[in-house]
Amino acid sequence: MKRFRTWVFLLSLPLLLATGCSQGLLSERDEKPQTTEVSFNIGISTRNDAAGASDDIRPELHQHVEHVSLYLFKGEAFMAAESVDWQQETGKTVEQNYTLQNKLEIGETYTLFAVGMNEKDIYQISTDESLTPSTIYAKLVDGKTAEERRKAEIFAGSIEYTPTESHETMSINLYRRMAGIEATFTSIPENATIQVVAHQKQNSAIALQKKETDDYGTDPFEEEGASVLLTITPDTDGKGEAYGYVLPICPPKSGSTLSVVLLGQDGSEEGKFPVVLCDPADGMDSKRFPLNANRLYRLKGDLATGFRFYVTIEDLEEGGDYYYEYD
């Protein structure tokens, strides 16, 4: 299996200084704080790993960002939100210029948060005045179906920026805040259904700022069946596949992170089987692993050879080597 990476990036053009006239020509009566306007070049990229083309990632798992917003903080205080008139195609490298609408004072420190989504009414970004750059989060809107949740994508990234009188170049890297799940099973019994389930109910909220440790979602759903990540119905040849996204989930203290449940024609459970890492890293439990953001978890299993199900993990983030080969 070849590796694949997905990332979203946001690069700025050099700063445009809006300082009207030089400091020496200002009279005391006309003196005002200097401000600067920033012109952004926004790029969203889904591309193959540089080590080799990987065409086996289904198009449905490429980026589908259609809505981009910017959230501005002055120091730790929320300042403003801006909506970018995003006009680019999905699934490939694109760029679009954007000029910041709010003026920033020279010498003040700001945090600029960029957020990309495929659907703007599935997750809501909280902009409560008490929020800070480290606590701004996305929360699922009430009433969304499992299908809507499964297809939702969130990308986010931020920078700290202090405007100066000199021309500078800035960049904001946006990374997927979801984990990707893909499952392909063969020799599924006729009239059976397969579910891929997590050890806990899915989370409904995620901090937009990536954490160094314990970077998981919060606020699990209360509804019945919220631990089901994918439901697979086989075709006439006994093959079934499905894909989707899930907010990051921490590993369990016991049992397995993921399980495959076989349902009979009447919907009753006929068996539940753990999903095992093909080649776990040193010190990693083969059954208990986290579902991390910006990683793709690919499940496979041939029921004709027994109820053994394996997962490989592909790192979709630039850098790192969190990858396991499936034989």
Side-chain angles (χ1 to χ4, degrees):
M1 180 183 295
K2 298 176 182 177
R3 286 189 289 176
F4 184 81
R5 291 180 183 141
T6 301
W7 67 89
V8 181
F9 61 92
L10 174 62
L11 300 177
S12 77
L13 296 176
L15 302 184
L16 303 178
L17 299 181
T19 54
C21 52
S22 69
Q23 187 71 20
L25 296 179
L26 288 175
S27 66
E28 292 184 4
R29 182 181 57 187
D30 295 332
E31 280 189 11
K32 295 180 180 179
Q34 289 181 306
T35 61
T36 182
E37 292 181 350
V38 186
S39 179
F40 285 101
N41 185 35
I42 303 173
I44 296 180
S45 174
T46 302
R47 50 177 79 167
N48 292 330
D49 184 90
S54 176
D55 297 325
D56 62 344
I57 302 293
R58 61 177 68 239
E60 295 90 344
L61 287 172
H62 292 185
Q63 65 84 8
H64 295 86
V65 173
E66 295 186 357
H67 308 279
V68 175
S69 299
L70 292 175
Y71 299 87
L72 283 66
F73 292 82
K74 184 177 181 180
E76 292 288 297
F78 176 69
M79 175 180 165
E82 298 186 11
S83 178
V84 178
D85 184 19
W86 191 248
Q87 298 291 327
Q88 305 308 311
E89 298 180 25
T90 61
K92 66 177 186 178
T93 302
V94 291
E95 295 182 353
Q96 176 176 315
N97 293 335
Y98 175 74
T99 301
L100 195 67
Q101 301 302 303
N102 284 269
K103 294 184 178 182
L104 310 181
E105 295 181 23
I106 291 176
E108 295 288 340
T109 298
Y110 298 85
T111 299
L112 296 101
F113 242 109
V115 181
M117 297 185 181
N118 61 328
E119 297 287 348
K120 62 182 180 181
D121 62 345
I122 296 181
Y123 283 91
Q124 182 177 17
I125 308 301
S126 177
T127 54
D128 187 281
E129 291 184 357
S130 64
L131 292 175
T132 67
S134 61
T135 60
I136 185 172
Y137 64 95
K139 174 74 173 177
L140 187 76
V141 176
D142 291 340
K144 297 303 176 182
T145 65
E147 182 72 5
E148 290 174 314
R149 297 197 302 263
R150 183 178 67 83
K151 293 184 177 180
E153 299 177 51
I154 304 174
F155 291 82
S158 67
I159 59 167
E160 274 193 3
Y161 169 56
T162 303
T164 66
E165 295 184 25
S166 62
H167 291 267
E168 302 176 15
T169 300
M170 300 179 302
S171 62
I172 303 179
N173 296 310
L174 276 70
Y175 297 100
R176 194 186 297 274
R177 297 298 289 140
M178 320 283 290
I181 306 289
E182 181 186 71
T184 302
F185 302 126
T186 54
S187 305
I188 302 173
E190 186 178 2
N191 298 321
T193 300
I194 285 183
Q195 290 181 333
V196 176
V197 301
H199 72 91
Q200 66 161 70
K201 293 183 177 181
Q202 294 182 57
N203 295 310
S204 64
I206 184 72
L208 295 180
Q209 184 75 275
K210 180 181 177 181
K211 300 176 183 177
E212 293 300 321
T213 60
D214 299 329
D215 189 26
Y216 307 124
T218 58
D219 301 339
F221 293 108
E222 296 297 330
E223 67 185 58
E224 189 70 24
S227 62
V228 177
L229 306 185
L230 300 175
T231 299
I232 301 169
T233 302
D235 59 20
T236 55
D237 295 323
K239 180 179 180 179
E241 56 184 10
Y243 68 92
Y245 299 102
V246 59
L247 292 180
I249 294 176
C250 65
K253 295 182 188 267
S254 61
S256 59
T257 300
L258 298 174
S259 299
V260 172
V261 176
L262 181 66
L263 303 177
Q265 186 174 5
D266 61 356
S268 61
E269 182 177 314
E270 297 188 353
K272 185 175 183 179
F273 313 93
V275 175
V276 179
L277 281 171
C278 294
D279 186 15
D282 291 343
M284 175 173 278
D285 190 301
S286 63
K287 294 181 182 179
R288 295 190 287 274
F289 47 87
L291 296 185
N292 286 322
N294 216 25
R295 286 178 180 148
L296 174 61
Y297 296 76
R298 309 185 81 173
L299 284 68
K300 290 186 178 181
D302 183 356
L303 278 68
T305 62
F307 294 95
R308 297 190 297 271
F309 302 95
Y310 300 94
V311 62
T312 59
I313 307 175
E314 296 194 37
D315 192 348
L316 300 179
E317 181 175 339
E318 184 178 10
D321 192 26
Y322 199 74
Y323 177 77
Y324 302 89
E325 186 60 39
Y326 177 80
D327 294 324

